[in-house]
Amino acid sequence: SLPIRVQFVINTVPVLDNVATQILRIIGVAPYEETLAIVTTDEPTPESLVFGDLVKLFGQVKEFFSVEDPFLDMEHIVDDRSTLSEDGLKSLKEIEQTIDTALKKSNLATFLLAALGAVDVGLSYLNESFLDVFCPTPCGNWFNGKMGSGSFTAGKLLKAQAGLFLELKTQTYISGVEFSERPKEELLDEIFPFNLQDLLLRRRQAAQLTPVESDFIFKCTTRRDTLLNSPDTEDLSENYDWLIFLKELFGYVSKNIGFLLWGRKPRTSLLPSLTDLTSPTTIIPSDLTHLTKEEIHKRLEEQKEREKELQQEAEKEPLTAKRKRVVRRPKPVLVKSSQSKSTTVTPRIKNMLRRAWSPEEEEALVEALKEVGPRWSKILDYYGPGGTKSEVLRNRTQVQLKDKSRNWKMAYLKNSQPMPDYLKKVTGELER
């Protein structure tokens, strides 16, 4: 009673559910520090290798639903419900909860992976999709042919979510300023739209804002004015630290993952096992859905053996070859918004964790300082992501360039050594 394409996608839902579940077990439930350690490690570990495999598999499975859209909904399973017969709609209705949970897991996993820079989704998408991920409407609304119905929490912005959304919008603006040449007003109008009230009301099909929504709009207006009036010389990334936002985001998710996935009240403790995250029902049997803890441990042991083999091979290779085997932290991701011409990027975890500078990066920075001086945005135009000369500094931010140059200068001053000309215009003086 269902088109063959719809049947195929539906039969893939359990696989999507399971892979998303395993990812959420790693980055959505585990302590925040452990998550960063796995994602940003410079050396391959069993956990990081499994995580990398899961992310790759996750992307492959999602392509069965959509190649372009990072976030999924029922329209990626059935693009036109009018083409379905009554029996087809009835059969879909019977597995509504399973589909709904799987899509929510997938979208939450995508959002968190993007925040960590592990998948190619930019901040523009995260800003546009925040409400759909953190305040989703039940897929039952799709079966009813309308949005806005369902439980009283459907689509409603809660206080903690509002705080996260405001900070995400701020981070999106900072990223836009750093990596685009668009005017500040244009960026702010896009990220803090003047019709935000109408958007919130239309999404819930409501006539009046909730107190939390009203407060959110007021804070958005205030934040927009603050950002608009901030001097160009101000380093906004220091005032609005990405790492703090990231910690608050993952802290909220770990405490409220049950509520985000099933609409229940937030749990008071972390989910203890894989089965706590799996759907109560499945559509078809799948090898992945029967993965046990013992099998996971077995896989980890296999990864350990593979790691030992790689280390033994690396010991026989020159330094340059060893570097190629290092598991690097996530790259910054350039992604164009689906509804605008803006280009924003996911903030770089490296900015927070202070990865050691490579000789190639240091040489590029010295050459850039000699060429253009301490003009950090111009240096990234030459050597950053999509740089006109190279991409050696693609994993560095303006703040890191400034800090590195200042540290060089301070070292010369402290040791009373002759100052190279390319460092003389860099800020920084010894305290007297």
Side-chain angles (χ1 to χ4, degrees), residues 66-85:
S66 175
V67 176
E68 297 181 354
D69 297 333
F71 298 100
L72 306 176
D73 56 33
M74 276 297 298
E75 291 186 357
H76 291 103
I77 296 178
V78 181
D79 56 2
D80 186 1
R81 64 191 298 273
S82 64
T83 62
L84 299 181
S85 63

Side-chain angles (χ1 to χ4, degrees), residues 74-340:
M74 276 297 298
E75 291 186 357
H76 291 103
I77 296 178
V78 181
D79 56 2
D80 186 1
R81 64 191 298 273
S82 64
T83 62
L84 299 181
S85 63
E86 290 187 7
D87 289 339
L89 283 173
K90 183 179 179 180
S91 63
L92 278 179
K93 183 69 174 177
E94 292 175 353
I95 55 175
E96 169 189 346
Q97 183 179 2
T98 299
I99 295 175
D100 188 41
T101 301
L103 293 178
K104 287 179 180 178
K105 288 182 186 179
S106 174
N107 291 339
L108 182 59
T110 298
F111 194 100
L112 297 181
L113 288 173
L116 292 169
V119 295
D120 296 355
V121 179
L123 274 178
S124 174
Y125 272 116
L126 301 191
N127 178 55
E128 293 172 3
S129 305
F130 181 89
L131 291 175
D132 292 332
V133 175
F134 287 87
C135 315
T137 54
C139 70
N141 292 332
W142 182 87
F143 289 101
N144 297 330
K146 61 182 179 179
M147 298 298 291
S149 62
S151 65
F152 74 97
T153 57
K156 188 178 295 185
L157 188 65
L158 304 180
K159 185 175 181 180
Q161 298 165 346
L164 290 174
F165 197 14
L166 176 62
E167 296 308 319
L168 174 62
K169 286 181 171 294
T170 304
Q171 296 295 336
T172 304
Y173 169 75
I174 294 173
S175 180
V177 169
E178 185 175 358
F179 293 99
S180 77
E181 298 180 355
R182 298 175 63 195
K184 295 169 62 174
E185 292 84 352
E186 186 177 331
L187 285 170
L188 289 169
D189 288 345
E190 180 180 298
I191 298 169
F192 297 91
F194 289 105
N195 66 336
L196 185 57
Q197 175 175 332
D198 295 335
L199 295 175
L200 293 174
L201 291 175
R202 185 164 61 249
R203 188 175 185 280
R204 293 191 298 107
Q205 290 192 346
Q208 187 175 359
L209 293 172
T210 66
V212 170
E213 290 172 337
S214 297
D215 183 64
F216 171 68
I217 291 176
F218 172 77
K219 289 181 177 178
C220 281
T221 302
T222 303
R223 181 65 58 84
R224 183 189 186 282
D225 293 340
T226 299
L227 296 173
L228 177 63
N229 296 320
S230 62
D232 294 338
T233 56
E234 182 180 355
D235 188 354
L236 294 174
S237 62
E238 293 184 359
N239 296 334
Y240 304 97
D241 194 302
W242 171 256
L243 185 59
I244 294 177
F245 166 73
L246 205 61
K247 187 171 184 178
E248 292 176 349
L249 171 66
F250 280 82
Y252 174 80
V253 170
S254 67
K255 294 177 182 178
N256 299 276
I257 194 165
F259 171 77
L260 292 172
L261 297 180
W262 299 295
R264 297 198 291 263
K265 293 182 179 181
R267 300 186 178 189
T268 56
S269 60
L270 298 179
L271 302 181
S273 66
L274 184 65
T275 55
D276 284 336
L277 275 175
T278 54
S279 301
T281 59
T282 57
I283 302 171
I284 59 170
S286 167
D287 292 337
L288 285 174
T289 57
H290 297 297
L291 194 65
T292 64
K293 288 185 178 180
E294 289 73 18
E295 290 170 324
I296 294 176
H297 287 304
K298 180 180 178 181
R299 188 175 183 185
L300 288 175
E301 290 301 322
E302 292 174 352
Q303 294 287 6
K304 288 182 180 179
E305 291 300 321
R306 188 171 73 179
E307 180 189 2
K308 289 181 180 179
E309 293 176 1
L310 290 176
Q311 290 176 344
Q312 291 173 356
E313 293 177 7
E315 290 175 358
K316 303 176 183 179
E317 299 173 351
L319 180 59
T320 54
K322 290 181 183 179
R323 283 182 180 171
K324 294 180 181 179
R325 292 191 180 277
V326 174
V327 180
R328 295 296 181 188
R329 299 182 181 102
K331 292 182 179 180
V333 180
L334 248 62
V335 176
K336 186 171 290 187
S337 166
S338 60
Q339 298 180 357
S340 69

